[in-house]
Amino acid sequence: MSTTPRLTALPSPAAALPDGAPHQSPVHALHRSLGATMTDFAGWDMPLRYASERDEHNAVRTRAGLFDLSHMGEITVTGPGAVALLNHALVGNIGTVSVGRARYTMICAEDGGILDDLIVYRLQEEEYMVVANAGNAQLVLDTITERAAGFDAEVRDDRDAYALLAVQGPESAAILASVTDADLDGLKYYAGLPGTVAGVPALIARTGYTGEDGFELFVAPAQAEELWKALTGAGASRGLIPCGLSCRDTLRLEAGMPLYGHELTTSLTPFDAGLGRIVKFEKEGDFVGRKALEAAAERAETAPPRKLVGLVAEGRRVPRAGFPVVADGRIVGEVTSGAPSPTLGKPIAMAYVDAAHAAPGTAGVAVDIRGTHEPYEVVALPFYKRQK
């Protein structure tokens, strides 16, 4: 990977806003001009939808959608000790990430509870970018900074240095190829490379949160609007439309992707969430939470806790987070996320249920929706998997 373009940090988009006012994306005015319904999301004023949530969802599944993800938090870690710090602070083995590649991982508390799930990009030999969820970005920054004591590494808050746009869907590669000379064919899933998109310097990453092929573009905030307009023009003939956070949620739910605060919380370890595979005990050196996670791994093998499963409705009523899952007249689990599935044409949910009721096809499982036990089929995740 050649040298990553240095994107100049600019004043925060919210720097001039009064205390308590939500942060605004660099393309906030564009969202308003497009008639977006805006919502407060983790302290940011973000587009929930532009018109029809179903149309936006289906566009990503069949053509392409354009998202503003500038609320995500970027943290840069540099220096000779950067990899040792990240291996200590996070549960994954960051030392095996090659330059130009990325890895999904988590940061956990000493007791093994999940503080956030992250993507770590290795930009250069001694430079990494950690991307955190918006609501946890400050916590992740503070925690990595605290854990950096004794390591020859610098932790830098780069949230104001980047805007983040994403093109997702089966037409995304063709759309992006029309406005960049970057080698997209050679860009693997969970990899990134520097380039220019419609003349705008960018880090081009083949990552996403929709279950489709797609790209996330990290650019300087001052050039985000220019890039949004260029992508809109380039994608018009291929059915690209702007998409809000609402359809992003139904897309990730269909793809069985966890959402922090729902499937992932501080009361759960990665093993509780069925994601123990991302914890790498074999990596060199100690890491925060190791002892608790070793105990959690043993529990998961000998006495499995509740398991994360998919639920598909037999009727039309939609379950929501927190609704009880019941069987044989007793509570056997809890819904973590639920919504109508545009792709399946039925309500779906993810839920943690007792191991005895977690096998696909288990009979007699229902969701208590305001006092009525609505029958649901237990299925394996994900609900939807794209054709390669």
Side-chain angles (χ1 to χ4, degrees), residues 311-336:
L311 300 175
V312 177
E314 294 183 17
R316 308 304 302 174
R317 298 187 72 188
V318 179
R320 299 299 182 189
F323 284 12
V325 180
V326 296
D328 302 321
R330 62 186 182 88
I331 295 175
V332 298
E334 183 176 303
V335 171
T336 54

Side-chain angles (χ1 to χ4, degrees), residues 335-362:
V335 171
T336 54
S337 297
S341 166
T343 304
L344 275 65
K346 300 177 180 180
I348 60 172
M350 287 198 281
Y352 283 106
V353 301
D354 294 347
H357 295 85
T362 300

Side-chain angles (χ1 to χ4, degrees), residues 286-309:
D286 197 11
F287 64 93
V288 178
R290 173 189 278 274
K291 282 191 174 181
L293 290 170
E294 286 175 339
E298 186 174 342
R299 286 195 306 272
E301 285 191 6
T302 58
R306 286 181 168 179
K307 294 185 177 181
L308 187 64
V309 302

Side-chain angles (χ1 to χ4, degrees), residues 45-67:
D45 191 30
M46 299 299 291
L48 184 65
R49 71 183 73 83
Y50 295 85
S52 162
E53 295 169 6
R54 179 178 294 273
D55 288 349
E56 292 171 23
H57 179 110
N58 290 335
V60 176
R61 284 278 179 260
T62 61
R63 302 182 304 279
L66 176 59
F67 295 85

